[in-house]
C-alpha cells in the first residue's frame, strides 16, 4: 500500500461499514487493558492509542479515570464515530488525524498503545518512520504495547497484507533501547465468530 492510497482505504472502510462489520471489532478491550495495567499507570499517565480507529479502548480508559488520553488515526471518519459514541466525554480526549509514519508528536507519552495498526507496515521504510515517531513520543521509562496478528494469524486484515509477529520478532523490530516486559497470545473472535490469532507485547523504553 502506498502512502497515497492508505488514507482513502481507511476512510472508505469507516464510512461504509458499521462497527460490527469489521473483523477487529471488540466489545471489551480486555487484552489491551491487562497490559496497560502492567505499566502501573496513574490517572495522570499520558496514553496514546495509535491507529485507535473507532475502538472502545478510549471509553474504558476514560471510565478508569485516565485524564490524558490521545487517540490517533489516519481516518477522520473513524474518530468521528468514536466521538459520537462518547458524546460530551469526547471533549476529554485529544483526537489526532494523522498517518503515524508522518506524525510529529508535540509531547511525550507514558504509554504508546497500538492494536492492529503496526502490522500493516510491510514496507521497511514505513516501519522505520513509525519507530522514529515512537522514539520521539515515548519517554524513557515509558511503555509500548503493540498487538499484531501472530505468526499463525491471518495473512491479511481489511483486505491488506500484514506482517505477522511473535514476541521475539516484534522486540527485534523495536531494537535496542526497549526491553520486553511481557507478551501474550490472544484469540480474537470476530463479529462473525471466526478466530484471529493476535500477539500482544509490552516493552519498556530503557534508554
Ligand atoms: C485493524 S484497525 C484497528 C483499529 C483499533 N486499533 C481497534 O483495535 O479497534 C487498524 C486501524 O489503524 C488505522 N491506520 C492504519 N494505518 C495507519 C497509519 N499509517 N497511521 C494511522 N492510523 C493508521 C486504521 O484507520 C484503522 O483504524
Amino acid at each position: 500500500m502506498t502512502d497515497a492510497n492508505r488514507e482513502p482505504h481507511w476512510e472508505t472502510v469507516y464510512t461504509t461499514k458499521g462497527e460490527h462489520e469489521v473483523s477487529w471489532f471488540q466489545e471489551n478491550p480486555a487484552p489491551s487493558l491487562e497490559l496497560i495495567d502492567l505499566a502501573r499507570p496513574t490517572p495522570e499517565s499520558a496514553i496514546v492509542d495509535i491507529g485507535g480507529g473507532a475502538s472502545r479502548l478510549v471509553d474504558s480508559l476514560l471510565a478508569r479515570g485516565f485524564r490524558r488520553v490521545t487517540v490517533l488515526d489516519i481516518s477522520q471518519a473513524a474518530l468521528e464515530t468514536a466521538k459520537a459514541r462518547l458524546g460530551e466525554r469526547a471533549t476529554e480526549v485529544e483526537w489526532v488525524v494523522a498517518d503515524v509514519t508522518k506524525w510529529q508528536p508535540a509531547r511525550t507519552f507514558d504509554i504508546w498503545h497500538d492494536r492492529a495498526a503496526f502490522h500493516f507496515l510491510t514496507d521497511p521504510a514505513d516501519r522505520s518512520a513509525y519507530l522514529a515517531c515512537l522514539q520521539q513520543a515515548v519517554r524513557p521509562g515509558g511503555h509500548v504495547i503493540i498487538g499484531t496478528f501472530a505468526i499463525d494469524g491471518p495473512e491479511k486484515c481489511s483486505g491488506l497484507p500484514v506482517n505477522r509477529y511473535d514476541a521475539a520478532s516484534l522486540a527485534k523490530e523495536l531494537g535496542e533501547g526497549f526491553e520486553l516486559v511481557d507478551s501474550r497470545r490472544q484469540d480474537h473472535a470476530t463479529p462473525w465468530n471466526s478466530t484471529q490469532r493476535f500477539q500482544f507485547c509490552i516493552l519498556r523504553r530503557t534508554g
Side-chain angles (χ1 to χ4, degrees), residues 88-108:
E88 276 188 8
R89 297 214 77 185
T91 57
E92 298 169 36
V93 177
E94 187 175 337
W95 304 95
V96 180
V97 179
D99 182 330
V100 63
T101 64
K102 299 185 170 56
W103 186 42
Q104 296 285 334
R107 57 189 178 81
T108 58

Side-chain angles (χ1 to χ4, degrees), residues 103-148:
W103 186 42
Q104 296 285 334
R107 57 189 178 81
T108 58
F109 294 87
D110 302 294
I111 298 177
W112 170 287
H113 173 272
D114 171 337
R115 173 177 180 263
F118 178 70
H119 69 190
F120 291 107
L121 303 178
T122 54
D123 178 339
D126 285 334
R127 289 198 298 282
S128 293
Y130 178 103
L131 292 170
C133 175
L134 183 154
Q135 272 161 346
Q136 213 179 315
V138 179
R139 69 163 173 82
H143 288 83
V144 176
I145 296 163
I146 299 183
T148 66

